[in-house]
Amino acid sequence: MNIVLLGAPGSGKGTQAARLSHRYGIPHISTGDIFRHEIAQKTELGLKVEEYVKSGRLVPDELTVSIVSGRLTKPDCGQGFILDGFPRTVAQAESLDAYFTSAKRQLDKVVYLQMTESQAVERLSSRRQCEACGQIYNLKSQPPKEADKCDTDGGTLFQREDDKPETIRKRLVVYNELTEPLISYYRGAGLLLTVNGGQGVDSVSNEVYAALDGLEPRPA
Ligand code: AMP
């Protein structure tokens, strides 16, 4: 099963992608996580993308597409994958289409987590992440049991640098301009599943599972 998660920053893509990955046994591929990892490791790629990620701008399409194309050829993608944060531009979506055609595979569903801008800002401002395992918390709706500590491994929770107010605004502008057109792109392709991302995390998951559980791979 090949799935794309689409939605504004803060709409819950990372949380839902992790759950889908666990449920269907296929990898969760987050371009944001890949970039943050490379930045933390100070690799050549990390140095190239650091300024874009920290300032809330998009990493250039060519670079992003080449990273994702490489990732999709890894053996763990054989049974499918969940893409979180890719594609983010029409050019990226077209490259993904080209990948599916050349690999004789298909995109099964695009799950669009719909949310208002004020809900997204609210979510992003109270988001925290475990530095050890990457688990995402929300100080209001999903707080850790002990302040600043991950429930799973006790790792310290941190706030992403691009979750600070000014960068949040920039990211939402970028989203509206470059990523929102993908909603009609995928609606036109008959692949869009729209879910209210503003409801509780479990309700979102249940709606998505209900739509995906019975999904038979479409003939190529
Ligand atoms: P995310 O964790 O998905 O919110 O992504 C964090 C940041 O990584 C974004 O604000 C961009 O700077 C960069 N990024 C992630 N995915 C992409 C993409 N598909 N295209 C370009 N830049 C991306």
Side-chain angles (χ1 to χ4, degrees), residues 71-91:
R71 180 65 186 86
L72 296 184
T73 62
K74 296 271 157 63
D76 66 338
C77 291
Q79 298 304 312
F81 47 79
I82 318 275
L83 283 171
D84 155 19
F86 183 94
R88 251 177 160 101
T89 63
V90 170

Side-chain angles (χ1 to χ4, degrees), residues 68-136:
V68 174
S69 309
R71 180 65 186 86
L72 296 184
T73 62
K74 296 271 157 63
D76 66 338
C77 291
Q79 298 304 312
F81 47 79
I82 318 275
L83 283 171
D84 155 19
F86 183 94
R88 251 177 160 101
T89 63
V90 170
Q92 291 180 12
E94 287 169 351
S95 308
L96 186 63
D97 286 347
Y99 159 80
F100 281 119
T101 305
S102 70
K104 298 195 173 26
R105 302 176 86 168
Q106 79 253 329
L107 179 55
D108 293 299
K109 217 34 130 191
V110 175
V111 178
Y112 166 43
L113 302 177
Q114 191 173 40
M115 164 171 280
T116 65
E117 194 156 311
S118 61
Q119 283 172 321
V121 172
E122 164 103 16
R123 284 257 191 110
L124 290 170
S125 334
S126 42
R127 175 160 74 178
R128 296 293 182 274
Q129 195 166 4
C130 172
E131 64 177 11
C133 70
Q135 192 172 326
I136 299 164

